[in-house]
Amino acid sequence: MRLVLVGPPGAGKGTQAVFLAEHYSIPHISTGDIFRANLKAGTPLGQEAKGFMDRGELVPDSVTNAMVKDRLTHDDVANGFLLDGFPRNVVQAEVLRAILAEQKSPLDAVLELNIADSEIIERLSSRLTCRGCGAPAPASAQKCDSCGGELYQREDDKAEVIARRLEVYNEQTAPIIAFYRGEGLLITISATGAVSEITERATTALSRIS
Ligand code: AMP
Protein backbone atom coordinates (compact mmCIF):
# COMPACT_ATOMS: atom_id res chain seq x y z
CA MET A 1 0.00 0.00 0.00
CA ARG A 2 1.44 3.37 -1.07
CA LEU A 3 -0.51 5.95 0.79
CA VAL A 4 -0.48 9.71 1.41
CA LEU A 5 -2.23 11.15 4.46
CA VAL A 6 -3.41 14.72 4.06
CA GLY A 7 -5.27 17.10 6.34
CA PRO A 8 -4.77 20.32 8.27
CA PRO A 9 -2.39 20.49 11.23
CA GLY A 10 -4.21 18.95 14.20
CA ALA A 11 -6.45 16.67 12.13
CA GLY A 12 -4.71 13.69 13.75
CA LYS A 13 -2.44 12.66 10.86
CA GLY A 14 0.41 11.66 13.18
CA THR A 15 -1.85 9.60 15.43
CA GLN A 16 -3.63 7.82 12.57
CA ALA A 17 -0.37 7.31 10.69
CA VAL A 18 1.03 5.21 13.54
CA PHE A 19 -2.03 2.89 13.52
CA LEU A 20 -2.30 2.68 9.74
CA ALA A 21 1.41 2.01 9.26
CA GLU A 22 1.14 -0.88 11.72
CA HIS A 23 -2.09 -2.16 10.16
CA TYR A 24 -0.58 -2.31 6.65
CA SER A 25 2.98 -3.14 7.84
CA ILE A 26 4.47 -0.19 5.99
CA PRO A 27 6.92 2.48 7.16
CA HIS A 28 5.49 5.77 8.45
CA ILE A 29 7.38 8.60 6.76
CA SER A 30 6.68 11.95 8.42
CA THR A 31 8.59 14.89 6.95
CA GLY A 32 7.88 16.89 10.14
CA ASP A 33 9.42 14.07 12.25
CA ILE A 34 12.47 13.91 9.95
CA PHE A 35 12.97 17.68 10.26
CA ARG A 36 12.54 17.54 14.06
CA ALA A 37 15.03 14.65 14.34
CA ASN A 38 17.54 16.71 12.32
CA LEU A 39 16.91 19.74 14.51
CA LYS A 40 17.52 17.69 17.65
CA ALA A 41 20.72 16.22 16.18
CA GLY A 42 21.89 19.70 15.09
CA THR A 43 22.49 18.68 11.47
CA PRO A 44 22.81 21.29 8.67
CA LEU A 45 19.39 20.15 7.39
CA GLY A 46 17.89 20.79 10.84
CA GLN A 47 19.50 24.23 11.03
CA GLU A 48 18.18 25.08 7.59
CA ALA A 49 14.63 24.01 8.50
CA LYS A 50 14.46 25.56 11.99
CA GLY A 51 13.47 29.13 11.13
CA PHE A 52 10.71 28.02 8.75
CA MET A 53 9.34 25.52 11.27
CA ASP A 54 9.38 28.00 14.15
CA ARG A 55 7.35 30.46 12.06
CA GLY A 56 4.89 27.82 10.82
CA GLU A 57 6.10 28.26 7.23
CA LEU A 58 6.94 25.50 4.77
CA VAL A 59 10.60 24.51 4.45
CA PRO A 60 11.64 25.29 0.83
CA ASP A 61 10.66 22.67 -1.75
CA SER A 62 14.26 22.13 -2.91
CA VAL A 63 15.25 20.95 0.59
CA THR A 64 12.09 18.94 1.31
CA ASN A 65 11.85 17.24 -2.09
CA ALA A 66 15.49 16.11 -1.99
CA MET A 67 14.97 14.69 1.50
CA VAL A 68 11.86 12.73 0.46
CA LYS A 69 13.44 11.53 -2.77
CA ASP A 70 16.33 10.11 -0.77
CA ARG A 71 13.98 8.51 1.81
CA LEU A 72 12.01 6.77 -0.95
CA THR A 73 15.13 4.95 -2.13
CA HIS A 74 15.47 3.04 1.19
CA ASP A 75 14.81 -0.71 1.08
CA ASP A 76 11.95 -0.56 3.58
CA VAL A 77 9.61 1.16 1.10
CA ALA A 78 9.67 -1.79 -1.30
CA ASN A 79 6.23 -2.94 -0.09
CA GLY A 80 4.76 0.50 0.33
CA PHE A 81 4.80 3.47 2.67
CA LEU A 82 2.61 5.97 4.40
CA LEU A 83 3.60 9.58 3.76
CA ASP A 84 2.48 11.98 6.51
CA GLY A 85 3.02 15.72 5.95
CA PHE A 86 4.21 15.36 2.37
CA PRO A 87 3.26 16.58 -0.19
CA ARG A 88 2.24 19.97 1.20
CA ASN A 89 1.80 21.89 -2.05
CA VAL A 90 1.09 21.11 -5.69
CA VAL A 91 4.78 21.30 -6.71
CA GLN A 92 5.62 18.64 -4.10
CA ALA A 93 2.68 16.52 -5.34
CA GLU A 94 4.04 16.71 -8.88
CA VAL A 95 7.56 15.84 -7.72
CA LEU A 96 6.20 12.84 -5.81
CA ARG A 97 4.28 11.66 -8.88
CA ALA A 98 7.48 11.89 -10.94
CA ILE A 99 9.59 10.01 -8.35
CA LEU A 100 7.02 7.21 -8.16
CA ALA A 101 6.56 7.07 -11.94
CA GLU A 102 10.31 6.55 -12.25
CA GLN A 103 10.07 3.70 -9.72
CA LYS A 104 6.99 2.33 -11.58
CA SER A 105 5.14 2.31 -8.26
CA PRO A 106 2.33 4.90 -8.28
CA LEU A 107 0.27 5.87 -5.24
CA ASP A 108 -2.69 3.65 -4.32
CA ALA A 109 -4.63 6.32 -2.44
CA VAL A 110 -4.60 9.70 -0.75
CA LEU A 111 -6.55 9.75 2.49
CA GLU A 112 -7.88 13.14 3.53
CA LEU A 113 -8.73 13.71 7.20
CA ASN A 114 -11.50 16.30 7.27
CA ILE A 115 -12.07 18.49 10.33
CA ALA A 116 -13.54 21.92 11.21
CA ASP A 117 -11.13 24.84 11.88
CA SER A 118 -12.60 25.47 15.36
CA GLU A 119 -11.76 21.94 16.46
CA ILE A 120 -8.22 22.17 15.05
CA ILE A 121 -7.33 25.19 17.16
CA GLU A 122 -8.65 23.53 20.31
CA ARG A 123 -6.77 20.29 19.60
CA LEU A 124 -3.44 21.89 18.69
CA SER A 125 -3.23 24.36 21.53
CA SER A 126 -3.72 21.55 24.07
CA ARG A 127 -1.46 19.00 22.35
CA LEU A 128 1.79 17.72 23.80
CA THR A 129 4.49 15.80 21.91
CA CYS A 130 6.92 13.11 23.10
CA ARG A 131 10.57 14.18 23.12
CA GLY A 132 11.59 10.55 22.64
CA CYS A 133 9.42 9.11 19.83
CA GLY A 134 7.54 12.19 18.57
CA ALA A 135 4.07 10.75 19.25
CA PRO A 136 1.34 13.30 20.07
CA ALA A 137 -0.36 13.21 23.51
CA PRO A 138 -3.26 15.04 25.16
CA ALA A 139 -2.57 17.94 27.56
CA SER A 140 -3.65 15.78 30.51
CA ALA A 141 -0.95 13.11 29.87
CA GLN A 142 2.05 12.93 32.21
CA LYS A 143 4.29 10.86 29.95
CA CYS A 144 4.23 9.30 26.49
CA ASP A 145 1.77 6.41 26.10
CA SER A 146 3.94 4.68 23.49
CA CYS A 147 7.46 4.92 24.98
CA GLY A 148 7.17 6.57 28.41
CA GLY A 149 9.17 9.58 27.18
CA GLU A 150 8.96 13.16 28.44
CA LEU A 151 6.25 15.38 26.91
CA TYR A 152 6.63 19.00 25.73
CA GLN A 153 4.65 21.58 23.73
CA ARG A 154 6.02 21.99 20.21
CA GLU A 155 7.17 25.55 19.48
CA ASP A 156 4.81 25.56 16.48
CA ASP A 157 1.81 24.39 18.57
CA LYS A 158 1.83 27.74 20.40
CA ALA A 159 -1.23 29.91 19.63
CA GLU A 160 0.53 32.54 17.50
CA VAL A 161 2.13 29.97 15.19
CA ILE A 162 -1.01 27.80 14.86
CA ALA A 163 -2.85 30.60 13.04
CA ARG A 164 -0.04 30.88 10.49
CA ARG A 165 0.13 27.10 10.01
CA LEU A 166 -3.59 27.04 9.24
CA GLU A 167 -3.21 29.89 6.75
CA VAL A 168 -0.33 28.06 5.07
CA TYR A 169 -2.46 24.90 4.92
CA ASN A 170 -5.42 26.68 3.34
CA GLU A 171 -3.30 28.62 0.83
CA GLN A 172 -0.68 26.05 -0.14
CA THR A 173 -1.70 22.56 0.93
CA ALA A 174 -5.48 22.53 0.35
CA PRO A 175 -5.00 22.76 -3.47
CA ILE A 176 -3.48 19.25 -3.46
CA ILE A 177 -6.94 17.91 -2.54
CA ALA A 178 -8.27 18.96 -5.96
CA PHE A 179 -5.04 17.69 -7.58
CA TYR A 180 -5.55 14.19 -6.13
CA ARG A 181 -9.30 14.23 -6.76
CA GLY A 182 -8.42 14.83 -10.40
CA GLU A 183 -6.04 11.84 -10.30
CA GLY A 184 -8.88 9.68 -8.94
CA LEU A 185 -6.90 8.92 -5.77
CA LEU A 186 -8.71 10.95 -3.12
CA ILE A 187 -10.61 9.32 -0.26
CA THR A 188 -12.07 11.70 2.34
CA ILE A 189 -13.12 10.66 5.83
CA SER A 190 -14.25 12.65 8.86
CA ALA A 191 -11.50 13.10 11.47
CA THR A 192 -13.95 13.83 14.29
CA GLY A 193 -14.57 11.25 16.99
CA ALA A 194 -12.50 8.73 18.93
CA VAL A 195 -9.08 7.75 17.55
CA SER A 196 -10.18 4.10 17.11
CA GLU A 197 -13.35 5.14 15.24
CA ILE A 198 -11.30 7.21 12.80
CA THR A 199 -8.84 4.34 12.23
CA GLU A 200 -11.80 2.03 11.54
CA ARG A 201 -13.25 4.55 9.08
CA ALA A 202 -9.87 4.79 7.34
CA THR A 203 -9.28 1.03 7.01
CA THR A 204 -12.86 0.46 5.83
CA ALA A 205 -12.52 3.17 3.17
CA LEU A 206 -9.10 1.87 2.10
CA SER A 207 -10.30 -1.76 1.91
CA ARG A 208 -12.54 -0.73 -0.99
CA ILE A 209 -9.54 0.14 -3.16
CA SER A 210 -7.36 -2.92 -2.57
P1 AMP B 1 4.33 18.60 10.80
O1 AMP B 1 4.95 17.81 11.89
O2 AMP B 1 3.92 17.75 9.63
O3 AMP B 1 3.22 19.49 11.28
O4 AMP B 1 5.47 19.57 10.23
C1 AMP B 1 6.09 20.54 11.06
C2 AMP B 1 6.79 21.59 10.21
O5 AMP B 1 7.80 20.96 9.41
C3 AMP B 1 5.89 22.31 9.20
O6 AMP B 1 5.15 23.37 9.77
C4 AMP B 1 6.93 22.77 8.18
O7 AMP B 1 7.67 23.88 8.68
C5 AMP B 1 7.88 21.58 8.12
N1 AMP B 1 7.43 20.60 7.11
C6 AMP B 1 6.97 19.35 7.30
N2 AMP B 1 6.65 18.76 6.15
C7 AMP B 1 6.91 19.68 5.18
C8 AMP B 1 6.77 19.68 3.76
N3 AMP B 1 6.27 18.62 3.09
N4 AMP B 1 7.14 20.80 3.09
C9 AMP B 1 7.65 21.87 3.73
N5 AMP B 1 7.78 21.94 5.06
C10 AMP B 1 7.42 20.86 5.79
Side-chain angles (χ1 to χ4, degrees):
M1 168 83 73
R2 286 178 294 274
L3 186 61
V4 163
L5 207 51
V6 62
K13 295 191 299 296
T15 303
Q16 290 304 322
V18 171
F19 289 110
L20 294 173
E22 193 181 322
H23 184 88
Y24 296 109
S25 301
I26 49 177
H28 168 204
I29 303 175
S30 155
T31 41
D33 282 354
I34 301 176
F35 283 132
R36 278 184 291 279
N38 276 275
L39 254 175
K40 198 170 157 189
T43 67
L45 176 65
Q47 280 157 19
E48 200 169 353
K50 183 178 184 337
F52 297 100
M53 294 176 77
D54 285 349
R55 293 192 300 277
E57 304 286 342
L58 296 186
V59 177
D61 286 345
S62 53
V63 176
T64 310
N65 289 338
M67 182 177 90
V68 170
K69 189 165 186 185
D70 173 73
R71 181 63 185 86
L72 291 177
T73 62
H74 294 194
D75 289 346
D76 65 346
V77 303
N79 293 320
F81 54 78
L82 191 163
L83 272 172
D84 159 18
F86 184 95
R88 251 183 164 94
N89 60 32
V90 173
V91 171
Q92 293 183 4
E94 282 167 347
V95 166
L96 178 63
R97 184 172 59 184
I99 296 170
L100 297 180
E102 209 173 290
Q103 297 180 353
K104 298 195 171 34
S105 53
L107 285 176
D108 293 305
V110 174
L111 185 69
E112 180 197 7
L113 299 184
N114 196 265
I115 183 173
D117 272 12
S118 51
E119 194 166 339
I120 293 173
I121 294 169
E122 195 180 309
R123 279 193 194 184
L124 281 183
S125 48
S126 64
R127 171 172 85 173
L128 297 175
T129 299
C130 175
R131 249 186 232 295
C133 71
S140 55
Q142 298 300 315
K143 57 183 175 60
C144 175
D145 227 21
S146 316
C147 75
E150 186 199 347
L151 300 173
Y152 75 109
Q153 185 179 39
R154 272 169 50 175
E155 230 11 81
D156 59 352
D157 279 348
K158 298 192 171 150
E160 56 283 13
V161 186
I162 292 173
R164 181 61 193 144
R165 289 169 67 203
L166 277 176
E167 247 172 48
V168 168
Y169 179 81
N170 289 325
E171 286 164 12
Q172 301 185 49
T173 308
I176 72 173
I177 305 284
F179 175 92
Y180 284 126
R181 188 177 293 119
E183 300 253 299
L185 290 170
L186 190 72
I187 297 174
T188 302
I189 60 165
S190 161
T192 307
V195 170
S196 59
E197 278 168 18
I198 301 164
T199 310
E200 173 74 30
R201 244 173 249 154
T203 51
T204 303
L206 289 167
S207 69
R208 298 196 189 109
I209 59 144
S210 46

